[in-house]
Amino acid sequence: MESDIRDKIMMMFFLVLLVGTLNPVIESRCTKERMTYERTQGYKVPDHMLQGSDSFVVLKLTADDECYSLCTDNEECLAYLLDYQNKSCILTKAEHALIRKQLVPNYAWSYHRKLCIAELQCRRQWSFDRIPGAQLNGYGDKTIAAIGSEDRCLEACAMEKSFKCRSARYDHDTENCVLFKHDRRVAAETFKKSLRDVDYLENQCIQDPSQCHFHLQKNRVIVHSHIHVNRFATTKEECQKSCLQFGSFRCRSFLFDPAKSLCLLTPEDSYSLTEEAIQFTEESVEYYEIGSCIEVQMRCESTSMIVILKVATPFNGKVYSVDHSLECFAVTAADTGEISLTIPLHGKKCGTRNMGNGTFTNSVIVQHHPYILRSSDRRIEVACDYDEITTRVRGGKEITEEEFQSLTQVVTGLAPTPSVRLRVVNGSGSDIKGVDLGEPLYLKVEMLDESVFGIFGSGLVARSGDESDMILLIDDQGCPVEPEVFPALLPDPETKSLMTPFQAFKFASDSTVKFQLTVSFCLEACTPVECNNRTAQKVAQSYGRRRRSASQADLSIFNIQAGDVVSDVTMESTLFVVSNLNSSWKEEETEQVSETRKAEKVSFWLSNRGLCIGGNVVMTSAAILGLIQIIFVGSCILLLCISRQRRICHNKPCHCSSRASISSKAKLFNCS
């Protein structure tokens, strides 16, 4: 231990000796109270810079906090890098202008450069996160032209008084700075890659409402990331509380191991991590991400109760009463983040329940997306007690559900091409029998035989069961519209199938989600579409629609070349997702659900044999079939009686005439 400390001291001494005459050091122009850092997560300097320059000092087996302290306490250190995979700390005296364009992506590294902010709002290890080459499209609340440098843009965001600056964009070519009320979590659908030399800068000193809830990410853990070990939190509740109160960085998720009573805090979540940093596991470790942060107040009026919620702004979703999303809702939030929903005490508009003892209760959903309900959203039970003239708010809870409904897949549309099917599977590739809201799944387009064809998908649409709600997930070119809901379709490395990960979601008005996807076949292999200008996710290509130009040369008598689209087929999958929108199941509702599931089983059994009929059609068909059987049996009995009468008449003496009978009731016999 003593030798390790001695080695680090020698390294720091060596670093000081290497420093030559620099510009005025940061300590001389910046006090400790104004000093902070800007973090660029997922980037490192190339190996040749580390090995071929005397401006970098590598310290092995150094903790994250220790590396931060070493650079902060040394006035010659202008930045530090963390290698989470090898647990190394790299101190550097190199200027940011030299390092910025040399950074290369690597999920297991992060780069922290020293800053000086005039009005520093928080004492965290870093005040801003930087994402190179990304921006928010369609927004811009304040533009400062020719501000001069990225540091001044960061300072402008920190000092903005007219609104809460959540993020900024700095253009290195024009030196323009744009300030935003939004960030990549509040307006995830607008966070895109940019072809310009711009940086997205996210403020880490923003204070959101304190009543936050976490949601479990099943069978997933974070690897090679920024981690703080809390040795004093020995339960999941203590670990969650420590994440909300942690000051060194903005904690957005935590891992808790019940077997070891181990609590790990991280600043990462699904928005900041790549797929490489999240691994599936069957171990007992529980990974929780922070969901919505909401503060709730109640006002009890004579004829209504008013729910006042304070949410993170800007708010793009809606608040509504459970099972009454179309009749009882609110969508507008004030600049302060307050949004109120007035719920009548009587009538069926909002479904308020009168408990009979002066207490009225209801359930409210806070949905952050304009159209769909996700696992990060919140359900809050509210109540007004008029008997005791008190107001109480029942604890909000995450939207989860122990009850499962079946998940089935139906493929429609035929073409003279290889058979394909649409499957929804879990991380191990097994078919899903039931699903929770927010459960990690994969949508898989599977070609059943390995032929000369390749496939790609486009036009993925999700619809509610009653067709009242719809959202486009993948456009006609095959690029994802909202990558946080549905990423791009990518090929399975072992087959010609396509697949994409997603988390189970539902619409507010219906628990059924219908996926409709156009699958196209092309000769040999399909040419991917570049989607870099559409999304900030790490997706360079998507296997979406692209047809051959008519000017290309023909290689076959059928005028088809490798990569040409041969045929399209439309596939549909029905996914039943359950959320706890009903706080309690009534007995008659349970019976109704049971009958509905029986009808669904009949319908699914017949659909596998080429038919798709409902329960009413089955009952009608059975009645008609029974009537036909009755007519058939009656006809047989009548014929039997006639035959018997004929045999009796044949055995008796017969009186014949030489002329034919003209009576309609007489029969003509030939006498022997």
Side-chain angles (χ1 to χ4, degrees), residues 504-544:
F505 62 85
K506 67 180 291 295
F507 294 94
S509 60
D510 197 346
S511 63
T512 302
V513 179
K514 294 181 180 179
F515 294 103
Q516 182 175 324
L517 175 69
T518 298
V519 178
S520 300
F521 298 88
C522 47
L523 190 62
E524 295 181 6
C526 299
T527 305
V529 173
E530 298 292 337
C531 294
N532 285 340
N533 60 334
R534 298 171 181 266
T535 173
Q537 299 281 340
K538 190 180 179 181
V539 177
Q541 296 177 329
S542 175
Y543 283 72

Side-chain angles (χ1 to χ4, degrees), residues 185 282 345 349 430:
R185 292 172 178 84
E282 300 295 335
L345 299 180
K349 179 181 178 181
S430 303

Side-chain angles (χ1 to χ4, degrees), residues 158-173:
M159 297 176 61
E160 180 59 42
K161 303 298 183 183
S162 61
F163 60 87
K164 186 184 294 185
C165 179
R166 287 184 171 272
S167 65
R169 180 183 72 229
Y170 180 71
D171 191 320
H172 291 273
D173 295 330

Side-chain angles (χ1 to χ4, degrees), residues 188-249:
E189 71 279 1
T190 68
F191 186 61
K192 310 290 183 182
K193 274 287 186 181
S194 175
L195 298 178
R196 298 180 59 84
D197 186 11
V198 298
D199 286 339
Y200 168 80
L201 311 167
E202 187 174 276
N203 193 348
Q204 300 301 300
C205 294
I206 293 295
Q207 295 296 327
D208 281 330
S210 58
Q211 298 175 10
C212 300
H213 280 253
F214 291 79
H215 52 99
L216 175 65
Q217 303 292 310
K218 291 186 176 180
N219 301 326
R220 299 200 296 175
V221 295
I222 296 177
V223 296
H224 307 320
S225 178
H226 200 103
I227 295 291
H228 173 79
V229 180
N230 189 331
R231 305 184 187 279
F232 301 100
T234 57
T235 66
K236 187 199 81 173
E237 290 73 22
E238 291 177 350
C239 190
Q240 176 175 311
K241 184 178 180 180
S242 67
C243 182
L244 291 173
Q245 298 176 349
F246 193 65
S248 295
F249 54 76

Side-chain angles (χ1 to χ4, degrees), residues 453-489:
F453 292 100
I455 59 174
F456 55 71
S458 59
L460 177 63
V461 175
R463 290 187 175 92
S464 61
D466 57 5
E467 302 289 336
S468 62
D469 292 312
M470 180 189 75
I471 181 173
L472 179 66
L473 301 174
I474 294 179
D475 62 20
D476 289 339
Q477 299 300 317
C479 292
V481 178
E482 297 190 57
E484 75 282 356
V485 177
F486 254 84
L489 287 167

Side-chain angles (χ1 to χ4, degrees), residues 485-625:
V485 177
F486 254 84
L489 287 167
L490 297 176
D492 187 333
E494 298 180 356
T495 66
K496 290 187 176 182
S497 302
L498 303 177
M499 61 192 304
T500 181
F502 71 100
Q503 293 186 11
F505 62 85
K506 67 180 291 295
F507 294 94
S509 60
D510 197 346
S511 63
T512 302
V513 179
K514 294 181 180 179
F515 294 103
Q516 182 175 324
L517 175 69
T518 298
V519 178
S520 300
F521 298 88
C522 47
L523 190 62
E524 295 181 6
C526 299
T527 305
V529 173
E530 298 292 337
C531 294
N532 285 340
N533 60 334
R534 298 171 181 266
T535 173
Q537 299 281 340
K538 190 180 179 181
V539 177
Q541 296 177 329
S542 175
Y543 283 72
R545 179 180 302 273
R546 174 175 289 179
R547 294 186 179 272
R548 178 177 61 89
S549 170
S551 63
Q552 293 177 337
D554 297 338
L555 296 180
S556 72
I557 60 174
F558 297 105
N559 194 25
I560 297 176
Q561 296 182 6
D564 284 0
V565 174
V566 178
S567 179
D568 292 339
V569 60
T570 300
M571 309 177 69
E572 187 173 286
S573 172
T574 302
L575 169 65
F576 296 95
V577 180
V578 181
S579 68
N580 63 341
L581 297 182
N582 296 315
S583 56
S584 62
W585 289 91
K586 297 181 181 178
E587 184 176 350
E588 58 269 22
E589 291 175 341
T590 304
E591 293 176 356
Q592 183 179 2
V593 170
S594 178
E595 293 299 325
T596 302
R597 290 180 179 175
K598 290 179 181 178
E600 289 173 352
K601 290 180 180 179
V602 172
S603 176
F604 176 63
W605 186 84
L606 291 172
S607 67
N608 283 344
R609 287 154 177 78
L611 297 175
C612 185
I613 59 179
N616 293 334
V617 178
V618 174
M619 295 177 65
T620 304
S621 301
I624 295 174
L625 185 60

Side-chain angles (χ1 to χ4, degrees), residues 5-18 57-60 91:
I5 297 175
R6 192 183 306 110
D7 290 341
K8 290 178 181 178
I9 294 175
M10 292 299 294
M11 280 289 188
M12 291 304 302
F13 181 72
F14 181 65
L15 176 63
V16 173
L17 290 178
L18 286 173
V57 174
V58 180
L59 305 176
K60 299 289 186 180
L91 306 177

